């Protein structure tokens, strides 16, 4: 079975992904089963997507109910779920507007177009981003991404992006020119291995943007949606500070639809009408079906206090993992249920992930030596302990090699 499915891929699917040797067939809560019936605890959550776990019954019901009512009509018309969902997001950030799309890359594209439109009259177009960032795989997305390996082979790059070291305010200040219109960062860098912006960096960026008339853009595609214990990760990073930072626009996707593909960006009221009628669009953005699912996810997260769960369970997991820091594990980082375990450089992340597969646990590699935990927000304490035991046993094994 597994082999014949892999054969179908080998012959028919674009080989742009390095896939693990697993064919996954069904899921339930925090678990998935492969084609051989083996069970795995999914601590990767489909890369921070399955916010309520797999095959969630309430999501399935919301999907089913809305599918029998109205799936799609296009943005030529108004639909109630999109309006309600936009209000939900605005209420959780600050006065502004929301645009709906279908992925994280598209949400970031919206931010780029917003910034360019704002800068058009003053001939400013440049967007400064951070090294080791990740902003998606479209042409502008790879230009914005501060990683050479992602750009390679796709020259010439989209003009107007440059990168400076993350968490380095002085470097950012230096990089600003007369052409600069915006700064874009992930408040918690995900793909490159979970690196958290400092509160001083975030408030420093806001001050820089105010001083130079730039837009402050946050890519919360991976870190957002209550994963860190607040709606968006910058809100969590700054919760203890005496600053009320409001960015100018925020990109979202991944957990927003819990597995139903959708993205969105919020833009601050001041720039809320920059993308006027006819200036930006997508056929599938904000369908009643997608929005009904996202509204259900908001409802469940609030009702079941899952932001608090992400916060306390994340702290519990990190505390346990800190005990294995040593010859094998170099560092444990994270915020809420966004956790990076950095191994010493002689250990390869892919190898660690495969060893965890043998023990029935799924995680996500990042860079050469980091594995990420991005589990469902409703992960239980018992499940977390099961995952920790597997990780601890891999560490013991690696210490012997
Ligand atoms: C995943 C991710 C993206 C790209 O999202 P897609 O839905 O894959 O297009 C962009 N930014 C960040 C921070 C991400 O983690």
């Amino acid at each position: 079975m597994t082999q014949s499915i892999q054969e179908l891929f080998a012959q028919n699917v674009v080989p742009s992904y390095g896939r693990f040797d697993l064919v996954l067939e069904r899921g339930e809560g925090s678990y998935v089963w492969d084609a051989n019936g083996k069970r795995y605890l999914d601590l990767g959550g489909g890369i921070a997507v399955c916010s309520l776990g797999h095959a969630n019954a309430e999501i399935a019901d919301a999907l089913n109910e809305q599918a029998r009512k109205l799936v799609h009509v296009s943005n030529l018309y108004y639909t109630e779920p999109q309006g309600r969902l936009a209000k939900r997001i605005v209420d959780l950030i600050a006065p502004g507007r929301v645009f709906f799309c279908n992925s994280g890359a598209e949400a970031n594209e919206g931010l780029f177009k917003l910034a360019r439109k704002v800068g058009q009259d003053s001939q400013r177009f440049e967007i400064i981003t951070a090294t080791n960032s990740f902003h998606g795989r479209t042409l502008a997305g790879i230009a914005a991404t501060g990683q050479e390996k992602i750009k390679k082979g796709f020259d010439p790059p989209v003009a107007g992006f440059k990168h400076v070291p993350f968490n380095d305010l002085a470097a950012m200040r230096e990089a600003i020119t007369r052409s600069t219109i915006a700064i874009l960062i992930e408040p918690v860098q995900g793909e490159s291995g979970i690196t958290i912006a400092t509160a001083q960096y975030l408030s420093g960026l806001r001050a820089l943007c105010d001083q130079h008339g730039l837009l402050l853009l946050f890519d919360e595609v991976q870190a957002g949606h209550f994963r860190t214990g607040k709606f968006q990760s910058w809100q969590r990073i700054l919760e203890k500070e005496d600053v009320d930072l409001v960015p100018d626009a925020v990109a979202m996707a991944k957990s927003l639809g819990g597995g139903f593909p959708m993205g969105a960006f919020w833009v601050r009221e001041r720039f809320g009408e920059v993308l006027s009628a006819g200036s930006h669009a997508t056929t599938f953005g904000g369908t009643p079906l997608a929005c009904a699912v996202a509204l259900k996810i908001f409802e469940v997260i609030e009702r079941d206090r899952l932001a608090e769960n992400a916060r306390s369970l994340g702290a519990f997991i990190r505390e346990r993992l800190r005990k294995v820091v040593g010859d094998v594990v170099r560092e444990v980082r994270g915020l809420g249920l966004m956790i990076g375990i950095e191994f010493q450089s002689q250990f390869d992340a892919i190898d660690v992930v495969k060893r965890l597969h043998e023990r029935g646990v799924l995680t996500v590699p990042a860079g050469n030596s980091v594995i990420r935990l991005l589990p469902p927000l409703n992960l239980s304490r018992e499940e977390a302990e099961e995952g920790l035991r597997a990780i601890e046993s891999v560490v013991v094994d690696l210490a012997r090699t």
Side-chain angles (χ1 to χ4, degrees), residues 179-226:
S179 306
T180 308
I181 187 62
I183 291 171
L184 167 67
I185 64 145
E186 297 155 84
V188 183
Q189 290 190 328
E191 291 303 300
S192 60
I194 316 295
T195 311
I196 307 167
T198 63
Q200 299 86 303
Y201 185 55
L202 295 182
S203 44
L205 290 181
R206 181 67 272 178
L208 267 185
C209 287
D210 290 343
Q211 188 187 341
H212 295 271
L214 312 179
L215 279 77
L216 180 59
L217 313 175
F218 286 160
D219 179 348
E220 290 273 14
V221 169
Q222 190 163 151
H225 225 66
F226 307 100

Side-chain angles (χ1 to χ4, degrees), residues 228-308:
T228 62
K230 283 269 192 190
F231 181 45
Q232 302 296 338
S233 70
W234 94 81
Q235 297 170 321
R236 173 73 205 273
I237 293 168
L238 288 169
E239 71 182 352
K240 291 203 195 77
E241 309 293 315
D242 210 14
V243 285
D244 190 17
L245 184 152
V246 182
D248 296 302
V250 180
M252 294 160 250
K254 293 200 163 90
S255 285
L256 181 62
F260 194 95
M262 71 182 304
F265 67 83
W266 167 93
V267 47
R268 196 179 188 174
E269 193 59 44
R270 186 176 161 209
F271 300 111
E273 292 181 22
V274 169
L275 293 173
S276 51
S279 66
H280 194 48
T282 172
T283 300
F284 290 123
T287 65
L289 192 61
C291 294
V293 169
L295 282 165
K296 177 56 73 176
I297 292 170
F298 269 108
E299 183 190 318
V300 173
I301 288 175
E302 188 167 291
R303 182 196 68 202
D304 296 348
R305 303 176 56 84
L306 297 183
E308 289 77 2

Side-chain angles (χ1 to χ4, degrees), residues 42-51 54 227 254-255 259 362 364 374-376:
D42 186 4
L43 296 183
I47 319 187
V49 166
C50 306
S51 37
H54 296 281
R227 178 159 296 281
K254 293 200 163 90
S255 285
L362 305 185
V364 183
L374 303 157

Side-chain angles (χ1 to χ4, degrees), residues 22-83:
L22 287 183
V23 176
L24 299 176
E25 215 168 59
R26 68 187 176 91
E28 194 184 316
S30 301
Y31 293 95
V32 290
W33 283 261
D34 73 11
N36 301 316
K38 179 173 169 177
R39 189 180 84 158
Y40 299 84
L41 174 68
D42 186 4
L43 296 183
I47 319 187
V49 166
C50 306
S51 37
L52 300 185
H54 296 281
N56 180 281
E58 286 180 285
I59 294 181
D61 288 346
L63 195 66
N64 188 34
E65 205 175 295
Q66 186 61 46
R68 288 170 181 279
K69 193 171 169 191
L70 191 67
V71 170
H72 169 91
V73 288
S74 90
N75 284 300
L76 292 171
Y77 313 100
Y78 296 93
T79 52
E80 185 187 340
Q82 185 177 138

